[in-house]
């Protein structure tokens, strides 16, 4: 353990045994999840104490938002603390300190918990919670007094909340917070506040506040005051002012980024210089030790020179891009099988000329994508730039793509349930890595059966996960005017309005999951002599408790409970409302835990795809359709 971590660990033990035992103010509301517990002598407990101690003692953050993690998987802990945007700095830090102590008293052994005070909230989990909109649990409080003109009051309140929602959602990565007032009926003034955790995108913050505002008529209709809180956002309204109008403005975003770096001056400047000189002499005399780099060294050793292939090498490897070596064709370009001079088989994507990037920008994007390393992602080995040619070199995956097995009446029988369940789990884990665990947040935007490749052991590998980055689209954060993907797999908010998020990929995964269970395409599902939409058919049979009608007739053996659970999860993933869809991390948990109770899905949005959206092209993965 590094010295700094050791000191922090010892502090956590001292402070955890002394401070955490003191009486703290009660949360006005809190939730202790039952998804997992830890023991007092566990590594998770130690990591949690260390992390909460670090947050409680932090004096560098001056904008009221803490998002830290500590430890290594599977005992890594993630935590978020957020102060109300109008609270003074001293009050904020005091509230955060109290919350880190109280949460361990109220939730003494749960791996996931959230607690709310008036001035701040605290949340921790054993899964990544950064940048993920979570609207459950949703809790409310209300004033027992009623207004006299309910309809007029609701109309004024809704208009006020809509304006604050837009203001809060458009905030920066430091603060997404808004307050305001409006004139209501009977000479009442309505004061309101809206806030999101600043790590959310504009779209996610907007969705979270919208869901909370829609909840008010159900929980608090006609009340003179109420608040709705979730892990990712909160709103409150009253007929008397409850927020501080004189709080100092938040620091600038660039200042906050600087404040995240903790600079500790331990010795005088002369001492530092002496130490540096000694270190320099030591390193000069020390003979470097040669060792074989492993996967953890990837970030250090990957550079443009190590990834760049010569065009002549690629041309020779593919026999001058011969048709005999062509594996597939799609909107991003053609794919060829190649063999390098050392005998290594590769797949070469010869990109179309649609990229708007210069050479330097293209290299930078390739370097970013190449650093994404996961067993369920197709590995990018390198690239080639030569004139107008842009080539990407991938590992070769021998068993072609999932659609070649799944939608072939003869090959489908080879995919028994164990293989399919293994494939489903691999896709889910690969998406969790793209959405949460990688250094980038990658939204695939074209997840489908032809973009899932199968290696020699039938492990699933997601392909084309970097295409949205490698091709510049005319887009702002969260929406695009050029739709990339395949109809039938597209989430409705993306297909119709261009809005995308990680939940767009969740929708595509749900469609793909139902295809894997049924063995049929989503836009041409056949039931007897009838052809209908797979989502509608799955929903109808789930409601009628006849889910076995959906299951591929080739699946004579295998766990029926797992099949039914997968259908249930698939329907949750294709919910029309973005907020109703689970995250991919939740999906992985649902797949691995049969004891976890699943929510009840609503009827999904579904539509029959047009012929322009069908997958009627020859591919062996590595291919993405572009529909404009």
């Amino acid at each position: 353990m590094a010295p700094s971590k050791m000191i922090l660990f010892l502090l956590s033990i001292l402070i955890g045994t002394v401070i955490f035992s003191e009486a703290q103010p009660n949360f006005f509301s809190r939730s202790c999840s039952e998804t997992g517990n830890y023991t007092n002598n566990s590594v998770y407990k130690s990591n949690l104490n260390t992390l909460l101690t670090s947050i409680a003692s932090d004096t560098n953050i001056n904008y009221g938002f803490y998002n830290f993690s500590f430890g290594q998987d599977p005992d890594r802990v993630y935590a978020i603390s957020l102060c109300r945007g109008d609270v003074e700095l001293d009050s904020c830090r005091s509230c955060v300190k109290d919350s880190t102590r109280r949460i361990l008293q109220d939730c003494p052994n749960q791996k996931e918990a959230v607690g709310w005070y008036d001035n701040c909230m605290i949340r921790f989990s054993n899964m990544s919670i950064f940048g993920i909109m979570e609207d459950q649990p949703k809790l409310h409080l209300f004033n027992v007094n009623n207004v006299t003109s309910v309809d007029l009051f609701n109309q004024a309140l809704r208009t006020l909340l809509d304006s604050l929602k837009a203001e809060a959602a458009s905030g920066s990565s430091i603060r997404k917070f808004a307050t305001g007032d409006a004139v209501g009926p009977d000479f009442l003034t309505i004061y309101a506040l809206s806030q999101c955790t600043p790590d959310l995108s504009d779209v996610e913050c907007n969705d979270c506040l919208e869901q909370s505002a829609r909840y008010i008529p159900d929980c608090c209709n006609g009340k003179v005051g109420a608040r709705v809180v979730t892990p990712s956002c909160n709103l409150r309204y009253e007929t008397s002012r409850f927020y501080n109008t004189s709080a100092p403005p938040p620091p600038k975003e660039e200042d906050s980024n600087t404040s995240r770096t903790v600079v500790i001056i331990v010795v005088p400047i002369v001492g530092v210089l002496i130490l540096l000189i000694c270190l320099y002499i030591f390193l000069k005399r020390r003979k470097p030790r040669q060792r074989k780099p492993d996967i953890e060294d990837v970030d250090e050793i990957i550079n443009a020179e190590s990834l760049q292939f010569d065009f002549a090498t690629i041309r020779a490897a593919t026999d001058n891009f011969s048709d005999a070596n062509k594996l597939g064709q799609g909107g991003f370009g053609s794919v060829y099988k190649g063999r390098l001079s050392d005998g290594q088989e590769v797949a070469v994507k010869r990109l179309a000329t649609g990229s708007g990037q210069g050479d330097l920008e293209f290299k930078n994007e390739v370097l970013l994508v190449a650093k994404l390393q996961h067993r369920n992602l197709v590995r990018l080995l390198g690239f080639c730039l030569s004139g107008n040619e842009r080539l990407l070199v991938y590992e070769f995956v021998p068993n072609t793509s999932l659609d070649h097995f799944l939608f072939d009446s003869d090959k489908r029988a080879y995919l028994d349930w164990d293989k399919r369940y293994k494939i489903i789990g691999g896709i889910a884990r690969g998406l969790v890595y793209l959405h949460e665990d990688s250094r980038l947040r990658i939204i695939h935007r074209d997840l489908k059966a032809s973009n899932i490749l199968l290696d020699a052991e039938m492990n699933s590998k997601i392909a084309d996960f970097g295409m949205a980055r490698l091709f510049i689209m005319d887009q702002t954060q969260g929406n695009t005017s050029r739709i990339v993907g395949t109809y039938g797999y597209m989430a409705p908010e993306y297909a119709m309005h261009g809005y995308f998020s990680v939940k767009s990929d969740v929708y595509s995964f749900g469609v793909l999951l139902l295809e894997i269970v049924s063995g049929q395409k989503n836009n041409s599902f056949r039931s007897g002599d009838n052809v209908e939409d797979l989502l509608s058919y799955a929903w109808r049979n789930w409601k009628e408790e006849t889910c076995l009608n959906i299951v591929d007739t080739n699946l004579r053996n295998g766990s029926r409970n797992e099949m039914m659970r997968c259908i249930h999860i698939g329907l949750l993933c294709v919910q029309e409302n973005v907020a109703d869809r689970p995250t991919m991390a939740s999906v992985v948990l649902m797949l691995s835990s049969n004891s976890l109770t699943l929510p009840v899905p609503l009827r999904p949005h579904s539509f029959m795809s047009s012929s322009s959206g069908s997958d009627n092209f020859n591919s062996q993965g590595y291919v993405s359709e572009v529909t404009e």
Side-chain angles (χ1 to χ4, degrees):
M1 184 180 290
S4 61
K5 290 185 178 179
M6 178 63 75
I7 293 171
L8 197 57
F9 174 71
L10 293 174
L11 281 173
S12 73
I13 295 175
L14 289 173
I15 297 175
T17 56
V18 177
I19 296 180
F20 288 160
S21 63
E22 296 178 3
Q24 303 300 324
N26 290 326
F27 292 117
F28 72 74
S29 190
R30 52 89 173 153
S31 174
C32 308
S33 174
E34 297 299 331
T35 57
N37 295 334
Y38 61 83
T39 57
N40 285 331
N41 60 350
S42 65
V43 176
Y44 188 87
K45 170 66 171 178
S46 174
N47 289 342
L48 177 59
N49 280 349
T50 301
L51 183 58
L52 294 182
T53 300
S54 175
I55 292 175
S57 60
D58 191 292
T59 58
N60 294 285
I61 290 177
N62 60 355
Y63 48 93
F65 178 55
Y66 306 75
N67 55 334
F68 299 133
S69 66
F70 185 81
Q72 300 295 324
D73 291 332
D75 296 303
R76 189 176 182 182
V77 188
Y78 303 82
I80 284 176
S81 186
L82 176 68
C83 289
R84 213 171 71 187
D86 62 316
V87 174
E88 297 285 353
L89 182 59
D90 288 344
S91 298
C92 169
R93 288 175 176 168
S94 176
C95 185
V96 169
K97 187 176 295 184
D98 283 342
S99 71
T100 58
R101 301 167 185 171
R102 184 72 206 188
I103 195 67
L104 291 184
Q105 296 177 31
D106 286 5
C107 304
N109 63 350
Q110 285 83 11
K111 287 189 174 182
E112 186 172 353
V114 58
W116 292 273
Y117 286 128
D118 280 339
N119 287 348
C120 69
M121 60 85 71
I122 184 74
R123 180 187 178 197
F124 66 82
S125 177
N126 61 329
M127 296 185 294
S128 178
I129 54 178
F130 304 149
I132 300 171
M133 195 272 279
E134 180 58 70
D135 66 346
Q136 296 295 334
K138 185 184 275 98
L139 304 168
H140 69 274
L141 292 85
F142 59 83
N143 191 310
V144 295
N145 297 313
N146 297 314
V147 299
T148 55
S149 304
V150 175
D151 291 340
L152 292 176
F153 185 88
N154 287 345
Q155 182 178 348
L157 174 62
R158 182 68 198 191
T159 301
L160 175 58
L161 292 179
D162 281 345
S163 66
L164 296 183
K165 174 184 65 178
E167 182 181 347
S170 63
S172 69
S173 61
I174 301 168
R175 194 175 80 166
K176 291 187 182 293
F177 175 81
T179 60
D181 58 76
V183 177
D186 304 319
F187 304 103
L188 288 174
T189 299
I190 308 172
Y191 300 89
L193 171 156
S194 294
Q195 184 173 24
C196 296
T197 57
D199 55 334
L200 297 186
S201 69
D202 297 3
V203 174
E204 289 169 326
C205 178
N206 183 89
D207 289 345
C208 190
L209 291 173
E210 176 66 23
Q211 289 295 315
S212 297
R214 287 182 182 178
Y215 187 59
I216 289 175
D218 296 328
C219 73
C220 322
N221 193 37
K223 302 299 181 181
V224 297
R227 66 177 72 178
V228 178
V229 295
T230 75
S232 293
C233 68
N234 69 88
L235 59 84
R236 180 181 179 185
Y237 73 89
E238 306 284 352
T239 53
S240 59
R241 184 156 51 216
F242 60 92
Y243 50 80
N244 183 8
T245 58
S246 60
K252 295 181 180 179
E253 189 163 356
E254 56 269 23
D255 295 338
S256 75
N257 292 333
T258 303
S259 70
R260 285 178 179 267
T261 305
V262 182
V263 181
I264 304 175
I265 301 175
V266 182
V267 292
I269 296 176
V270 175
V272 173
L273 290 175
I274 294 173
L275 179 62
L276 291 175
I277 292 170
C278 293
L279 182 62
Y280 174 76
I281 295 172
F282 171 74
L283 293 176
K284 286 288 287 184
R285 292 182 175 180
R286 183 186 180 192
K287 184 178 180 180
R289 182 177 62 180
Q290 298 295 324
R291 67 183 180 92
K292 184 178 180 180
D294 56 24
I295 201 70
E296 274 128 10
D297 297 314
V298 169
D299 289 348
E300 304 301 325
I301 65 173
I302 286 183
N303 53 57
E305 289 72 26
S306 67
L307 290 176
Q308 190 154 5
F309 285 81
D310 181 72
F311 183 74
T313 299
I314 302 301
R315 183 167 56 189
T318 59
D319 192 18
N320 198 21
F321 305 101
S322 67
D323 288 341
N325 284 327
K326 192 171 184 178
L327 299 174
Q329 175 78 37
F332 284 129
S334 303
V335 182
Y336 299 85
K337 182 178 179 179
R339 186 183 294 274
L340 301 178
S341 57
D342 62 359
Q344 181 182 7
E345 291 185 318
V346 294
V348 178
K349 182 184 288 289
R350 193 178 194 181
L351 297 180
T353 57
S355 174
Q357 295 173 313
D359 289 357
L360 179 60
E361 292 85 354
F362 181 78
K363 284 183 180 181
N364 289 337
E365 292 294 348
V366 169
L367 289 175
L368 288 174
V369 175
K371 290 177 182 179
L372 301 178
Q373 304 286 328
H374 191 274
R375 64 175 298 184
N376 296 114
L377 302 181
V378 173
R379 187 179 177 191
L380 178 63
L381 302 178
F383 70 99
C384 175
L385 281 171
S386 179
N388 293 325
E389 293 280 1
R390 279 171 163 75
L391 307 173
L392 297 173
V393 182
Y394 293 94
E395 65 171 318
F396 179 73
V397 183
N399 269 331
T400 69
S401 53
L402 176 59
D403 61 323
H404 277 71
F405 286 88
L406 196 59
F407 304 138
D408 185 289
S409 58
D410 296 325
K411 294 180 181 178
R412 188 185 307 148
Y414 180 70
L415 291 179
D416 59 25
W417 177 245
D418 288 343
K419 289 187 178 70
R420 296 193 199 197
Y421 201 60
K422 177 182 176 182
I423 289 168
I424 291 167
I427 299 169
R429 288 188 295 273
L431 286 174
V432 170
Y433 176 81
L434 291 176
H435 290 177
E436 300 182 18
D437 297 336
S438 68
R439 63 174 56 203
L440 309 168
R441 168 174 278 198
I442 298 289
I443 301 172
H444 193 288
R445 287 201 276 170
D446 196 18
L447 188 71
K448 57 186 178 181
S450 60
N451 275 337
I452 305 300
L453 306 188
L454 303 172
D455 68 11
E457 287 75 40
M458 300 300 285
N459 293 304
S460 51
K461 290 178 175 284
I462 301 173
D464 270 3
F465 52 85
M467 288 295 99
R469 296 189 64 91
L470 292 166
F471 272 61
I472 291 178
M473 304 302 170
D474 179 15
Q475 66 181 55
T476 59
Q477 184 180 10
N479 65 81
T480 178
S481 60
R482 185 183 186 195
I483 304 300
V484 181
T486 306
Y487 288 112
Y489 292 94
M490 285 186 192
E493 73 275 4
Y494 182 43
M496 293 186 288
H497 304 294
Y499 296 120
F500 61 89
S501 66
V502 292
K503 294 295 186 72
S504 310
D505 281 353
V506 172
Y507 183 96
S508 302
F509 174 82
V511 176
L512 181 56
L513 178 52
L514 293 173
E515 286 185 330
I516 293 172
V517 175
S518 67
Q520 299 196 47
K521 293 185 179 181
N522 67 81
N523 58 357
S524 59
F525 184 84
R526 183 171 297 278
S527 175
D529 295 330
N530 299 320
V531 177
E532 61 178 302
D533 181 4
L534 175 57
L535 303 191
S536 298
Y537 185 79
W539 165 256
R540 177 162 55 83
N541 280 275
W542 186 83
K543 287 289 288 183
E544 295 172 359
E545 299 183 355
T546 55
C547 284
L548 287 178
N549 292 341
I550 306 166
V551 176
D552 187 351
T553 55
N554 289 288
L555 298 176
R556 298 180 180 87
N557 299 314
S559 171
R560 295 296 177 182
N561 287 335
E562 287 178 350
M563 296 176 195
M564 299 303 101
R565 193 170 182 83
C566 282
I567 293 170
H568 193 158
I569 295 170
L571 289 171
L572 290 173
C573 291
V574 297
Q575 296 292 276
E576 182 172 7
N577 193 323
V578 174
D580 291 336
R581 299 173 204 156
T583 63
M584 286 310 305
S586 298
V587 168
V588 170
L589 185 61
M590 293 174 188
L591 289 169
S592 60
S593 175
N594 290 327
S595 61
L596 188 66
T597 302
L598 304 184
V600 177
L602 301 173
R603 182 182 182 90
H605 174 92
S606 59
F607 51 86
M608 291 292 291
S609 301
S610 65
S611 59
S612 63
S614 62
D615 276 331
N616 55 1
F617 58 94
N618 176 32
S619 85
Q620 185 177 339
Y622 307 97
V623 179
S624 286
E625 282 190 324
V626 180
T627 306
E628 299 186 57

